[in-house]
Amino acid sequence: MEMVVATPAPRLPAEEEMALIRDITVAAEAHSKEGDTFFLITNRWWQSWIDYVIQDLASATSNGSHHHDYGSNVLRRPGAIDNTDLIDETASEVSNMEIELHDTLVEGRDYILLPQHVWEKLHGWYGGGPTLPRKAINTGLSQTDLAIEVYPLRLQLILVPKGEQAFIRISKKDTVGELHKKACEVFDLIPDEVCIWDYYGRTRHSLMDNLEKTLDDANIQMDQDILVEVTTDANGSLDGGCMSSIQENEYFERESTSLIADASKSGLSNENFASNNYTSRCYSSSLTQSQYLRSSNGDLDNMHGSSGMITRGSPLGLTGLLNLGNTCFMNSAIQCLVHTPEFARYFCEDYHREINWQNPLGMVGELALAFGELLRKLWAPGRTPVSPRPFKTKLSRFAPQFSGYNQHDSQELLAFLLDGLHEDLNRVKHRPYIKSKDADGRSDDEVADEYWANHIARNDSIIVDVCQGQYKSTLVCPACGKVSVTFDPFMYLSLPLQFTSTRSITVMVFTFDGNIPPTPYSVSVPKQGRCRDLTQALSNACSLRNGERLLIAEIRNHRIHRLLEDPVLQLSTINDDDHLAVYRLPKLEKRPNYIQFVHRRDDLDHGSNSSSTSWKPYGVPLLAQVSRNEIVTGFHIHEMVRKMLVPMQRNQESQHSVQSSVSTRTQTYHTDGSKFQLQLIDDSNTVIEQSNDTIRVPQSSLAAVVFVNWSKSDLKKLNIHHLENLPEVFKYAPPAKRTRGEPLSLYACLDAFLREEPLVPEDMWYCPRCKEQRQASKKLDLWRLPEVLVIHLKRFSFSRSTKQKLETFVNFPIHDFDLTNYIANKKSSERQIYELYAVSNHYGSMASGHYTAYIKLLDENRWYNFDDSHVSAINEEDVKSGAAYVLFYRRVRDPDGAASNGIQPYVNQNHRSSQR
């Protein structure tokens, strides 16, 4: 990526810069509108500018003394804007697009969005780049619902019949006509001879012939394919391919219109064909569930997931949801809930009388109303995909974490929806205060029933009736043996996919004396261990000598971010995607001061006409220590660096023949016929010369900084592999694929979940007998199971910037999931058998993954794949996969109970009054 460097304008005082930027920002925010241009700027540079303009400018004056005060608090004016850390050069090289951003950038953490006039001012003052403009687009029904499209649609164009391919970026608010024009420009085609197809999933879904339609309305997805078809043959005559398809589409449209009219005449609501209208009439409660869930003909007449065509005799419940932009997680969760028969029946009847309008924990009924409306549209006749935008708007209002168009977790959304729907539909209008009683030797049955009765007295809704069960939780004090038993409700089970008690940590060890090259080590430590455990394991691994110690540092942006000196620091604070450097240092009697040598390389070609050189941080910093009473000179600083660089010199014979000669700006080292220049700069941009001038090293919680500037030619004289490649703490790799004979079973995951284990140190238990916090052991048991059992497979492990995913294949039962032996309540004689009816799947990584839902229509006894707006039949053997994320099971009743294939009652027989 070539940096665009602008000529800086004359400098203004810091306070004038701040005032101008503030005024321009306020004015821009007050008049922002669709189509305005905003610019990305790296948060690193922005924060340095903020620090610069708000500091006490009076402190910036210098006394001009030869004894320079290294580590001064005065902040210098930032250099040129450098946005290169936002750029994914690898992706830009793979695709044919000029500039590609990293896929996982987060606003506020990695970048800031600036209005156009703000960017122009800063760019004029400081220069630099690259320039990264983005447009404001409308994301809602109102003109004020604006968002900055940081990631426009990335589409792959596939030209047929030639087979050429190209990537483009285009706004989702651009029209099909603009996409058609861009495709013709990319492949140098004649527009009249080209038609384009929605080629999602490498399947021709629809001809994109409505040129005025936006790509958002056409349901074009990020990273999908677009088929570009040339409609002339080798002789230049039209082949008729697109025209015939257009005629077919017109036939489908006429047929669809006719069927909509028929539906209207028959008294069925056609609200499904106006999905943007939030308000719709209630369905008559006289319509039975079977009328909603059963079609007149079980066979599928046609299976075009998004054709918009309504076929006579098609089963109900096969309507897809439009993707509004990274909303596949929401679509997957909604389809699983909508196809829960108990919920389908409940929301298709008159549920309004159960809405709790006064519940302060609820959403004044708005979430329940929005979900009910969406469910009715999805169960209405027809196959035209429904837009969930009204529901998304309500969701974003009450759960801001799901606002915008970033990818989210379907399980997190499910947890919020179930809890939110419960509060909106809670039949308890005034919750009584109930104090839990101690067991006092009473039987578990009596105590469990009391806990459940207390819970129901405060929480009574369709969600509780269908989805809530009860745990038995047992805590045992390790000191006095005190046993505490409670019975708590649960909405779903979160089962682990791995249950090791240790973790692997990889670091790079650097020596202070240059005797050993930088060496990577991987050690195994307790998951709940402390920093002293890691230090001990590394000491053994690298054969640490007497008189030496290890200092562990976390490296971010080529600098030391923090020193891990506290021996009792929890290892859980170290994330798998962190980078750790370990420095092997001599022991000192007192706490020393540290100096970190941060490498920088010349970021411009030497043949450039530019008069200024841009230095870019690079590699892993080296670290040295000095006693607090030690006098440090320029000679000492240079000698420290020289020692640590010795094992990295390519010519090993030069390790004992380094001579130096003093230069006013750089230090030249002659090494067995070759030489390299070493330029040391402190953080005030002053050259540290090899002299007897005293260098003051400040006392700091972190290491003070000295920059080591490298030319490209000198870097080639060093073996810099270990400086360039600091390993992650744990490089995630998918586990080895299990053989068919040894899959991880769902029962094994459940066993791991119920296994007794000590509480983590952050979650200590207060023992009422010891009167102290204790790391008690905890044991969970299943006591009461719900009608619908939701099981979450914990595939993601959290880190600072990403979620890492386990692709482990879990062998889960589709039929006869038997939990009878897992029930701790032995008085229950009823068998606990469940059958799978829905799966929320997740494919790929969290940052760029995709969600779908596998749903079994019970009346059809057939499985379908709901992939946003595309719905297609699948075989039952295809339901099991390594992408399964959330499983939905329904209880199967014995022949004496309710029919196992019908709709179970969604309220208890002893229905409680809704007028509490």
Side-chain angles (χ1 to χ4, degrees):
M1 181 66 57
E2 194 169 299
M3 178 73 69
V4 179
V5 180
T7 302
R11 291 189 179 185
L12 294 177
E15 64 270 22
E16 287 189 28
E17 287 189 10
M18 180 173 62
L20 273 173
I21 294 301
R22 181 186 60 233
D23 294 344
I24 296 172
T25 300
V26 171
E29 290 178 350
H31 301 93
S32 59
K33 62 185 182 302
E34 184 177 4
D36 285 353
T37 302
F38 288 74
F39 291 80
L40 278 77
I41 190 168
T42 175
N43 189 49
R44 175 178 49 78
W45 189 93
W46 174 256
Q47 287 302 325
S48 69
W49 181 80
I50 291 293
D51 293 340
Y52 162 66
V53 296
I54 66 174
Q55 70 177 326
D56 182 6
L57 297 179
S59 66
T61 58
S62 173
N63 59 15
S65 171
H66 179 71
H67 176 94
H68 63 271
D69 201 14
Y70 171 76
S72 170
N73 290 328
V74 176
L75 296 175
R76 297 298 177 120
R77 191 172 190 266
I81 298 169
D82 182 4
N83 280 333
T84 54
D85 57 345
L86 305 180
I87 307 303
D88 188 348
E89 296 182 357
T90 304
S92 300
E93 292 170 1
V94 172
S95 71
N96 52 3
M97 293 172 284
E98 287 187 9
I99 297 179
E100 278 288 282
L101 301 179
H102 286 290
D103 283 338
T104 56
L105 299 179
V106 176
E107 183 179 359
R109 185 195 72 189
D110 302 307
Y111 67 88
I112 301 295
L113 286 166
L114 302 179
Q116 181 170 351
H117 295 312
V118 173
W119 166 260
E120 289 173 349
K121 278 292 182 187
L122 289 174
H123 194 244
W125 292 334
Y126 292 92
T131 302
L132 304 172
R134 293 296 186 268
K135 292 290 186 182
I137 62 173
N138 183 272
T139 59
L141 301 177
S142 132
Q143 292 299 315
T144 60
D145 292 336
L146 299 179
I148 313 304
E149 194 175 27
V150 175
Y151 293 99
L153 290 174
R154 179 173 51 206
L155 305 176
Q156 181 173 218
L157 306 180
I158 302 176
L159 179 63
V160 292
K162 291 185 177 181
E164 296 178 16
Q165 299 181 1
F167 287 90
I168 64 166
R169 285 279 191 183
I170 188 169
S171 171
K172 63 182 179 182
K173 292 300 180 181
D174 283 343
T175 63
V176 171
E178 288 165 317
L179 173 60
H180 183 276
K181 179 181 178 182
K182 185 166 271 193
C184 293
E185 291 173 350
V186 168
F187 294 120
D188 194 20
L189 303 173
I190 300 174
D192 292 342
E193 299 176 357
V194 174
C195 62
I196 56 177
W197 296 80
D198 179 353
Y199 201 45
Y200 178 90
R202 294 296 174 103
T203 302
R204 292 195 194 206
H205 288 286
S206 59
L207 177 66
M208 301 175 69
D209 54 347
N210 185 346
L211 302 184
E212 301 302 318
K213 201 173 195 178
T214 68
L215 300 182
D216 192 17
D217 292 337
N219 194 29
I220 300 303
Q221 310 291 315
M222 177 70 78
D223 289 325
Q224 81 158 73
D225 298 329
I226 298 294
L227 197 66
V228 181
E229 185 175 17
V230 179
T231 59
T232 56
D233 58 21
N235 298 322
S237 61
L238 290 172
D239 66 3
C242 288
M243 293 305 298
S244 63
S245 300
I246 292 174
Q247 291 168 1
E248 289 176 9
N249 280 4
E250 289 175 349
Y251 168 75
F252 289 161
E253 197 171 299
R254 290 195 302 270
E255 181 69 7
S256 179
T257 303
S258 172
L259 289 172
I260 293 172
D262 291 344
S264 178
K265 292 176 183 177
S266 66
L268 294 173
S269 168
N270 63 348
E271 64 179 0
N272 194 40
F273 308 107
S275 58
N276 286 330
N277 182 9
Y278 176 70
T279 305
S280 63
R281 61 192 176 115
C282 293
Y283 283 89
S284 169
S285 59
S286 63
L287 287 173
T288 65
Q289 178 65 15
S290 61
Q291 286 176 287
Y292 278 95
L293 300 184
R294 188 178 294 113
S295 66
S296 59
N297 182 355
D299 297 331
L300 288 176
D301 297 330
N302 206 324
M303 201 56 181
H304 297 288
S306 63
S307 66
M309 181 176 137
I310 305 173
T311 58
R312 290 184 174 89
S314 294
L316 301 179
L318 292 179
T319 302
L321 285 165
L322 295 177
N323 191 314
L324 306 178
N326 282 330
T327 55
C328 57
F329 77 97
M330 182 180 75
N331 293 347
S332 173
I334 287 173
Q335 292 288 13
C336 291
L337 291 181
V338 161
H339 287 86
T340 298
E342 291 83 349
F343 294 156
R345 179 182 176 187
Y346 179 86
F347 284 99
C348 283
E349 294 183 354
D350 185 12
Y351 64 93
H352 298 78
R353 60 188 174 85
E354 292 204 335
I355 292 179
N356 191 330
W357 306 101
Q358 289 82 35
N359 187 356
L361 300 179
M363 289 136 226
V364 292
E366 292 192 36
L367 184 67
L369 287 170
F371 180 79
E373 291 294 325
L374 183 57
L375 180 144
R376 292 181 176 200
K377 292 175 182 178
L378 292 173
W379 278 109
R383 297 288 298 283
T384 302
V386 171
S387 170
R389 194 179 301 278
F391 176 81
K392 174 74 162 54
T393 300
K394 294 294 183 184
L395 177 68
S396 300
R397 176 182 171 187
F398 294 108
Q401 65 269 33
F402 299 115
S403 62
Y405 295 90
N406 292 327
Q407 184 66 276
H408 292 282
D409 190 323
S410 69
Q411 184 273 332
E412 292 175 0
L413 175 64
L414 277 166
F416 172 81
L417 284 181
L418 289 173
D419 187 62
L421 290 172
H422 159 67
E423 297 296 351
D424 266 5
L425 299 168
N426 195 350
R427 303 176 187 115
V428 180
K429 309 306 180 189
H430 304 286
R431 292 181 170 179
Y433 171 76
I434 302 174
K435 185 177 181 179
S436 298
K437 299 178 183 177
D438 193 73
D440 287 333
R442 293 180 293 164
S443 68
D444 283 349
D445 298 311
E446 182 182 351
V447 177
D449 289 344
E450 181 181 277
Y451 269 85
W452 187 253
N454 292 345
H455 175 65
I456 294 300
R458 295 171 53 82
N459 302 275
D460 180 15
S461 70
I462 175 64
I463 306 299
V464 175
D465 296 338
V466 174
C467 292
Q468 285 199 353
Q470 190 179 29
Y471 289 130
K472 176 186 176 183
S473 177
T474 305
L475 292 171
V476 180
C477 177
C480 68
K482 167 68 177 176
V483 178
S484 172
V485 177
T486 57
F487 293 86
D488 304 312
F490 68 86
M491 195 88 75
Y492 51 86
L493 303 179
S494 287
L495 305 187
L497 300 192
Q498 59 178 6
F499 26 90
T500 178
S501 60
T502 62
R503 65 182 291 200
S504 176
I505 291 183
T506 300
V507 303
M508 185 75 73
V509 177
F510 295 82
T511 59
F512 75 98
D513 55 8
N515 286 333
I516 303 173
T519 307
Y521 290 94
S522 293
V523 294
S524 181
V525 293
K527 261 191 175 180
Q528 303 301 329
R530 301 180 183 274
C531 194
R532 61 191 174 209
D533 299 313
L534 176 58
T535 302
Q536 184 60 52
L538 289 170
S539 299
N540 296 335
C542 68
S543 302
L544 196 69
R545 297 189 295 264
N546 290 332
E548 291 182 331
R549 67 187 184 96
L550 297 180
L551 179 63
I552 305 172
E554 180 186 344
I555 308 300
R556 288 192 200 174
N557 299 321
H558 311 288
R559 290 194 183 197
I560 293 176
H561 174 68
R562 61 169 175 160
L563 297 174
L564 281 63
E565 295 184 282
D566 184 357
V568 297
L569 179 72
Q570 291 287 332
L571 292 181
S572 58
T573 64
I574 301 174
N575 299 310
D576 285 348
D577 61 348
D578 286 344
H579 298 265
L580 298 184
V582 177
Y583 300 98
R584 191 167 176 168
L585 303 169
K587 287 182 180 179
L588 298 178
E589 291 184 2
K590 296 182 179 180
R591 177 183 171 85
N593 293 330
Y594 299 110
I595 304 174
Q596 59 171 317
F597 296 93
V598 178
H599 304 280
R600 298 193 301 190
R601 59 183 174 185
D602 182 354
D603 203 35
L604 295 177
D605 294 332
H606 288 291
S608 171
N609 293 326
S610 173
S611 59
S612 62
T613 300
S614 176
W615 295 102
K616 184 176 181 180
Y618 162 79
V620 185
L622 302 176
L623 184 133
Q625 65 180 9
V626 294
S627 300
R628 295 200 169 184
N629 57 355
E630 182 179 354
I631 298 176
V632 181
T633 67
F635 281 116
H636 289 130
I637 297 290
H638 279 264
E639 181 65 13
M640 292 175 189
V641 181
R642 185 197 66 77
K643 273 189 177 182
M644 290 184 283
L645 288 176
V646 164
M648 295 176 228
Q649 296 172 18
R650 290 193 179 277
N651 189 335
Q652 294 300 314
E653 293 180 2
S654 66
Q655 294 184 8
H656 303 289
S657 59
V658 178
Q659 301 173 347
S660 61
S661 59
V662 178
S663 170
T664 58
R665 301 297 298 172
T666 62
Q667 193 62 39
T668 301
Y669 289 96
H670 298 269
T671 57
D672 195 31
S674 64
K675 65 180 181 178
F676 63 88
Q677 293 180 329
L678 191 61
Q679 186 183 56
L680 303 184
I681 309 290
D682 68 15
D683 65 352
S684 62
N685 207 32
T686 302
V687 174
I688 299 177
E689 298 179 358
Q690 184 167 333
S691 68
N692 288 318
D693 289 341
T694 301
I695 307 295
R696 190 181 71 83
V697 180
Q699 298 182 12
S700 170
S701 58
L702 283 181
V705 176
V706 169
F707 294 108
V708 184
N709 290 349
W710 292 99
S711 67
K712 292 181 180 178
S713 58
D714 282 341
L715 272 179
K716 294 178 181 178
K717 299 172 184 177
L718 297 178
N719 184 351
I720 54 177
H721 172 76
H722 294 309
L723 286 182
E724 290 184 318
N725 299 284
L726 185 62
E728 291 183 353
V729 164
F730 178 74
K731 184 66 175 177
Y732 172 76
K737 189 173 181 180
R738 294 171 180 265
T739 64
R740 292 187 177 272
E742 52 173 7
L744 177 64
S745 74
L746 188 59
Y747 291 108
C749 297
L750 187 57
D751 289 335
F753 174 71
L754 299 175
R755 182 179 295 127
E756 183 176 356
E757 60 183 13
L759 295 174
V760 295
E762 301 85 37
D763 194 21
M764 304 278 272
W765 172 65
Y766 180 78
C767 176
R769 183 181 294 168
C770 297
K771 307 298 184 185
E772 290 186 25
Q773 298 287 337
R774 298 294 190 190
Q775 191 173 6
S777 63
K778 184 175 183 178
K779 174 75 171 71
L780 289 178
D781 291 291
L782 301 178
W783 189 266
R784 187 189 309 263
L785 292 179
E787 291 297 312
V788 168
L789 179 62
V790 180
I791 295 179
H792 163 225
L793 302 177
K794 296 173 71 173
R795 293 197 175 276
F796 297 109
S797 60
F798 292 81
S799 62
R800 182 178 58 253
S801 58
T802 62
K803 286 183 176 180
Q804 293 172 339
K805 183 184 175 186
L806 290 171
E807 300 284 355
T808 308
F809 174 77
V810 178
N811 186 13
F812 51 88
I814 295 178
H815 307 284
D816 299 326
F817 182 33
D818 191 350
L819 296 176
T820 306
N821 294 331
Y822 285 90
I823 299 299
N825 182 7
K826 299 307 179 184
K827 286 193 174 182
S828 175
S829 59
E830 183 181 4
R831 294 188 65 204
Q832 305 290 330
I833 308 295
Y834 285 82
E835 180 164 332
L836 188 73
Y837 72 91
V839 182
S840 176
N841 299 302
H842 181 273
Y843 301 89
S845 66
M846 188 61 194
S848 58
H850 182 68
Y851 287 91
T852 68
Y854 290 162
I855 308 289
K856 183 180 182 181
L857 291 192
L858 299 182
D859 284 8
E860 289 290 312
N861 198 28
R862 188 174 187 181
W863 285 90
Y864 294 88
N865 177 24
F866 287 75
D867 188 353
D868 289 330
S869 59
H870 308 286
V871 182
S872 58
I874 59 172
N875 296 320
E876 185 171 278
E877 55 265 28
D878 296 328
V879 171
K880 294 184 182 183
S881 76
Y885 185 40
V886 185
L887 309 174
F888 291 76
Y889 283 94
R890 295 183 67 244
R891 190 196 301 275
V892 178
R893 294 290 183 180
D894 290 332
D896 294 339
S900 61
N901 291 328
I903 304 301
Q904 302 297 334
Y906 61 84
V907 292
N908 296 337
Q909 294 298 322
N910 299 323
H911 194 283
R912 295 161 294 279
S913 170
S914 62
Q915 301 302 319
R916 285 199 185 93

